[in-house]
Amino acid sequence: MRTTVGIIGAGPAGLLLARLLHNAGIDSVVLESRDRAYVERRQRAGILEQGTVDVLRAAGAGERMDREGLRHDGVELRFDRRRHRVDFPALTGGRSVMVYAQTEVCKDLIALQLKEGGPLLFEAEALAVEDAESERPRVRFRYAGADGDGSRREGVLECDYVVGCDGYWGVARKAVPASLSRAFERTYPFGWLGILADVPPSHDELVYARHDRGFALLSMRSPSVSRLYLQVPDGTDAGEWDDEEIWAELERRFETADGWRLRRGPITQKSVTPMRSFVHEPMRHGRLFLAGDAAHIVPPTGAKGLNLAVGDVVTFARALVHRRETGSARLLDAYSESCLRRVWQAERFSYDMTTLLHRAPGATPFEDRLQLARLERIASSRSAETDLAEAYTGLPFQ
Ligand code: APR
Ligand code: PHB
């Protein structure tokens, strides 16, 4: 098989990239190791920055998002049994965010790709990227045989460029020699226990709560489905928590002095997400480009993961179009540096939000007071609050 751009991974990064290239008349092949149902059901954060919304619309992938997504003009910070609302448009000159789950973004992009885009192969697992430094990099992959007997075959995809959109656990990053790369990493000694519940959200905007017992987040998937999270110790198994315990703990952490009530409902899904910050530099090696989680991870507290992936693939698609139109590789050469500037800003923000709101095991009373002072500062200083609002709604794409 031959193509211009070989894309490994059909998460938001790979799927959107395929769409952007298709719109620009550049052919691609997407290889995805899992099946379609798995990709469409995987729960992740669902906050789209203004820039991401604009990109999806411009790519012709925003129709259902505009119908079903929920525009949010603020979030609530909750601490010390008090509530403080951060008003995004007022602080950022009119910007807001869209609550539209990553599962839905993926479903929309998959449907478009299968209808009018290039090949999107499920259950096709990339094994290795070869000859990344050459003019003709290759992806070796394994796929299900046509006879349906469960046997696996191997294939080779020859490309002009390979984009590794295969997430943190993928193979693309491994093709960058260790001697030329550097990884920056931080793990946190806690994770999030996330639930989906069939109950209307108890608040019309997201609530980020800091509590002595740990962080809690109220989010939503639709007007009838709530998404809630609890900070739990590292290594927690979701099965250790029964439904009654989860609701009781959420109630404790969200409690306010003004009698706010949390609505309970049947829990339909439970899982634990670990928390880490990770950046791989550079994001390019020869004709191999890394995008999204393959190159960087943020803790979910600022909901930046998907938005960063969008920034990467927009940067790559523009650079490739520029190359085709002008013959100049200048933007392709600048890919890693351009992306990393944005990535480190998101790392900074996600780290700040994480340390602002979570209670680290063994935190001292001094640190507890400092956290409250930081929250107090955001609640009482317009410039501190603006800093949060600008980062949350996202910097405009170049
Ligand atoms: N071959 C083919 N596909 C692979 C391979 C491989 N060897 N390894 C992983 N994949 C696939 C995974 O199954 C997954 O579907 O790559 C995809 C990577 O998708 P994500 O993990 O969602 O990564 P990305 O697209 O970068 O997502 C960006 O959006 O949903 C959020 O939290 C998510 O922060 C992330 C962001
Ligand atoms: C979510 O809805 O899953 C979500 C929202 C905001 C976050 C993280 C996750 O910061």
Side-chain angles (χ1 to χ4, degrees), residues 146-163:
D147 23 358
D149 61 357
S151 65
R152 311 293 282 169
R153 301 189 179 176
E154 279 201 20
V156 174
L157 179 62
E158 291 184 7
C159 318
D160 292 341
Y161 302 91
V162 175
V163 185

Side-chain angles (χ1 to χ4, degrees), residues 258-291:
D258 63 8
W260 182 88
R261 305 289 302 179
L262 179 70
R263 285 190 205 116
R264 294 185 176 203
I267 295 177
T268 56
Q269 222 188 80
K270 247 186 251 185
S271 61
V272 173
T273 317
M275 311 265 285
R276 66 155 55 87
S277 302
F278 170 81
V279 181
H280 181 277
E281 292 185 1
M283 287 173 57
R284 172 202 181 176
H285 176 61
R287 285 174 170 251
L288 166 66
F289 294 76
L290 302 177

